[in-house]
Amino acid sequence: MFTGLSAFPLTPFRDSTVDEQTYAHLIGRLVVAGVDSITALGSTGSYMYLDREERRRIAAAAVRSAGDVPVMVGIGALRTSQVQRLAEDAQQAGASAVILAPVTYQALTPDEVFGLFEDVTAALSVPLVVYDNPGTTHVTFTDDLYERIAALPHVASIKIPGVPPVADAAADRVRTIRDRLPASVSIGVSGDAVAATGLGAGCDLWYSVIGGTLPTLALGITRAALAGDHTAATAESERLTPLWRLFREFGSIRVTAAIAEHLGLVPPDSLPRPVRGLDSDGRARVAQIVEALRFSD
Amino acid sequence: MFTGLSAFPLTPFRDSTVDEQTYAHLIGRLVVAGVDSITALGSTGSYMYLDREERRRIAAAAVRSAGDVPVMVGIGALRTSQVQRLAEDAQQAGASAVILAPVTYQALTPDEVFGLFEDVTAALSVPLVVYDNPGTTHVTFTDDLYERIAALPHVASIKIPGVPPVADAAADRVRTIRDRLPASVSIGVSGDAVAATGLGAGCDLWYSVIGGTLPTLALGITRAALAGDHTAATAESERLTPLWRLFREFGSIRVTAAIAEHLGLVPPDSLPRPVRGLDSDGRARVAQIVEALRFSD
């Protein structure tokens, strides 16, 4: 399960409530495209904006619609006891794995972050992915912290926040992390703009924002990179430079939602307030890129 | 209501659940001490770690135990619709005002922050305090944003995150903000270490962490400063320098919880996990300061 492309679908909202039917359709598209796994309720899936019941329903819908494709479910929350309940819910819904970011309100010390993973893995039956997402959690993982957490039971993968953009430096970085982890723990790259570089540098999989909405595109990069054709993977990623630029400018979730809205995959105004979609100028730029780069899948 | 000392009580936990009885006792102490208002479910009250039902119960307990002292209730949450429900709950519980921080998971643009306050104030019946707390929300308010939000209906006060530590610079800063606000909107200082300076610089009130646990101490500073005795207010604040140093080192919530635990006001291990109390070394330092500075109220 922890190889290839893990696709992060949007959780679409319609009139401020979760649109389960559209969600099931998004999951179906990912299955048809042939992604290796689906991560439901990642940051792109707005997990932190959903209440427990909504998260339970979305997890169940993902598993139901995913068929044989393994589904990982995000279980992050501010309080440990909430995370533990969400882990139970995810497992009951049939999740093949759970993924946990140390979400913060009060800043956490490294010992507190470790304690969270220790408390949660203690009662788990499925593998856990460590979700290192400093842009949203404001937690900085050190390699020491990776090592301590990776030694806990059930920890199966670390989603790292990116790699240096240059191939040699990226390979060094992945090797440095790999040296700290048990052989059973995979490394997944995130930060779509450096995914081709990360896979070329030895990451096992790509935890992908754009793969949740344009799976064929992301699979092209993934398959080329994992087959060792770094030239093709890098060329395709470089073709998408205008997209990565929009990601940096507006945040990947707003741009991905705008693409999905432009393609008619989700209803307009599909993000949970207070997060809003792009303004008309931003949307026009997205539409232009969708057409110029011929996104359609 | 928006003058003097607004005390932020801890919300104590016992065995991972909210300890309402102890909470009611904390509120009673604040009333006896004579604080001007109580802010229930501020950051010090761990509001973001409580679920809706717990927040409803704590808000009700605060109002019930506060007698004639006005109670403001924190309504921050990640999703606008959740904030709106919490605002209804707080008003039904009898809150005299609500206080709202723009809590983030996805980073918010200034327009999105404004949109949150616009959506929430539209359906409000009580005054609202703008809770500017960059350390926990990671939102930076510009003076332009203060001005836009302060012009919304029901906005009655802004809790600013601090003032420069030097008197003249602090007075300049408060004047600059004041010039942007309607006359009806008060300015409250926070950041306990600079509270005496802030009140001396023209702030109307102190939104106080330590005042929720050591109200007599905080009232001493507040009364001196608002009576124009800046020498006495500053001297008392300077006497507390070892305390402010601990606040900086460990975070004010951990230190305040350790003080309350040391004084027997709350049970041991009173913070919601994953946040943990100080280790034994930190506790020993807190105990030493409690004794040396003769905290007892």
Side-chain angles (χ1 to χ4, degrees):
Chain A
M1 162 171 40
F2 299 109
T3 184
L5 178 72
S6 193
F8 281 52
L10 294 158
T11 304
F13 288 74
R14 188 188 297 269
D15 302 329
S16 299
T17 59
V18 169
D19 181 348
E20 260 177 85
Q21 206 177 342
T22 299
Y23 184 75
H25 178 67
L26 295 183
I27 301 296
R29 289 177 69 247
L30 301 179
V31 173
V32 170
V35 303
D36 299 293
S37 67
I38 293 167
T39 302
L41 297 171
S43 291
T44 306
S46 295
Y47 72 102
M48 279 301 290
Y49 298 87
L50 272 58
D51 64 27
R52 183 182 178 188
E53 181 53 31
E54 288 170 325
R55 289 170 75 160
R56 190 154 37 193
R57 290 211 319 270
I58 285 295
V63 171
R64 203 166 46 234
S65 304
D68 294 336
V69 178
V71 174
M72 317 195 200
V73 173
I75 59 169
L78 284 167
R79 187 159 148 205
T80 301
S81 59
Q82 293 166 335
V83 177
Q84 289 168 324
R85 276 199 297 268
L86 291 165
E88 284 168 31
D89 291 348
Q91 290 173 97
Q92 252 171 16
S96 298
V98 293
I99 175 165
L100 174 59
V103 188
T104 60
Y105 180 76
Q106 297 289 345
L108 297 178
T109 67
D111 281 344
E112 289 171 332
V113 172
F114 176 76
L116 168 68
F117 283 92
E118 190 178 33
D119 288 344
V120 172
T121 53
L124 213 56
S125 309
V126 297
L128 177 138
V129 180
V130 178
Y131 195 169
D132 179 3
N133 197 353
T136 57
T137 65
H138 308 282
V139 166
T140 303
F141 279 85
T142 60
D143 292 349
D144 280 342
L145 189 54
Y146 278 162
E147 181 174 342
R148 286 177 72 194
I149 293 175
L152 290 167
H154 302 291
V155 174
S157 184
I158 298 183
K159 173 185 174 299
I160 62 172
V163 292
V166 177
D168 284 354
D172 279 352
R173 178 69 191 122
V174 174
R175 207 174 304 117
T176 300
I177 299 172
R178 184 86 69 190
D179 283 347
R180 298 294 201 106
L181 309 182
S184 60
V185 174
S186 75
I187 301 174
V189 68
S190 66
D192 285 0
V194 294
T197 309
L199 291 170
C203 288
D204 304 287
L205 74 161
W206 175 14
Y207 292 107
S208 175
V209 172
I210 200 64
T213 296
L214 301 174
T216 306
L217 195 78
L219 278 167
I221 293 173
T222 306
R223 298 287 178 253
L226 292 181
D229 189 350
H230 302 315
T231 310
T234 305
E236 177 63 356
S237 180
E238 278 172 5
R239 189 177 75 88
L240 304 177
T241 299
L243 177 64
W244 310 143
R245 204 174 289 138
L246 285 180
F247 272 29
R248 262 202 312 280
E249 186 174 346
F250 296 112
S252 62
I253 192 171
R254 291 185 188 81
V255 176
T256 306
I259 292 171
E261 293 170 17
H262 180 79
L263 294 175
L265 298 170
V266 300
D269 201 16
S270 67
L271 292 172
R273 295 220 169 168
V275 183
R276 298 193 186 213
L278 300 183
D279 62 15
S280 55
D281 183 52
R283 276 170 202 285
R285 288 171 57 198
V286 165
Q288 194 180 14
I289 285 174
V290 166
E291 305 307 328
L293 300 181
R294 298 185 306 283
F295 296 163
S296 59
D297 66 346
Chain B
M1 162 169 40
F2 299 109
T3 182
L5 178 72
S6 192
F8 281 52
L10 294 158
T11 304
F13 287 74
R14 189 188 295 270
D15 301 330
S16 301
T17 59
V18 169
D19 181 348
E20 259 177 85
Q21 205 176 343
T22 300
Y23 184 75
H25 178 67
L26 295 182
I27 301 295
R29 290 176 68 247
L30 301 178
V31 174
V32 170
V35 302
D36 299 293
S37 67
I38 293 167
T39 302
L41 297 172
S43 291
T44 306
S46 295
Y47 71 103
M48 279 300 291
Y49 298 87
L50 274 57
D51 65 26
R52 183 181 178 188
E53 181 53 31
E54 288 170 327
R55 289 171 76 160
R56 187 152 42 191
R57 292 212 317 270
I58 286 294
V63 171
R64 203 165 48 233
S65 305
D68 294 335
V69 179
V71 173
M72 317 193 200
V73 173
I75 58 170
L78 283 167
R79 187 159 148 204
T80 301
S81 60
Q82 292 166 336
V83 177
Q84 288 167 325
R85 277 200 296 267
L86 291 165
E88 284 168 30
D89 291 348
Q91 291 172 97
Q92 251 171 15
S96 298
V98 292
I99 175 164
L100 174 59
V103 187
T104 59
Y105 181 76
Q106 297 289 346
L108 297 178
T109 67
D111 281 344
E112 288 171 332
V113 172
F114 176 77
L116 168 69
F117 282 93
E118 190 179 33
D119 288 344
V120 171
T121 53
L124 214 55
S125 310
V126 297
L128 177 138
V129 180
V130 178
Y131 196 169
D132 179 3
N133 197 354
T136 57
T137 64
H138 307 282
V139 166
T140 302
F141 279 85
T142 59
D143 292 349
D144 280 341
L145 189 55
Y146 278 162
E147 181 175 342
R148 287 178 72 194
I149 293 175
L152 290 168
H154 302 290
V155 174
S157 183
I158 298 182
K159 174 185 175 297
I160 63 171
V163 292
V166 177
D168 284 355
D172 278 353
R173 178 70 192 124
V174 174
R175 207 174 305 117
T176 300
I177 300 171
R178 184 86 69 193
D179 283 347
R180 297 295 199 105
L181 310 181
S184 60
V185 175
S186 75
I187 301 175
V189 67
S190 66
D192 286 1
V194 294
T197 309
L199 292 169
C203 287
D204 303 288
L205 74 161
W206 174 14
Y207 292 107
S208 175
V209 172
I210 200 65
T213 296
L214 301 174
T216 306
L217 194 79
L219 277 166
I221 293 173
T222 308
R223 297 288 178 253
L226 292 182
D229 189 349
H230 301 315
T231 312
T234 305
E236 177 62 355
S237 180
E238 280 174 2
R239 189 177 76 87
L240 304 178
T241 299
L243 177 64
W244 310 144
R245 205 173 289 138
L246 285 180
F247 272 28
R248 262 202 312 280
E249 187 173 346
F250 296 111
S252 62
I253 192 171
R254 290 186 189 80
V255 175
T256 305
I259 292 171
E261 292 172 17
H262 180 77
L263 294 174
L265 298 171
V266 300
D269 201 17
S270 65
L271 293 172
R273 294 215 170 174
V275 183
R276 298 193 186 213
L278 301 183
D279 63 15
S280 55
D281 183 54
R283 277 171 201 284
R285 287 169 59 197
V286 165
Q288 195 180 15
I289 285 173
V290 167
E291 304 307 329
L293 301 181
R294 298 185 305 283
F295 296 162
S296 59
D297 67 343

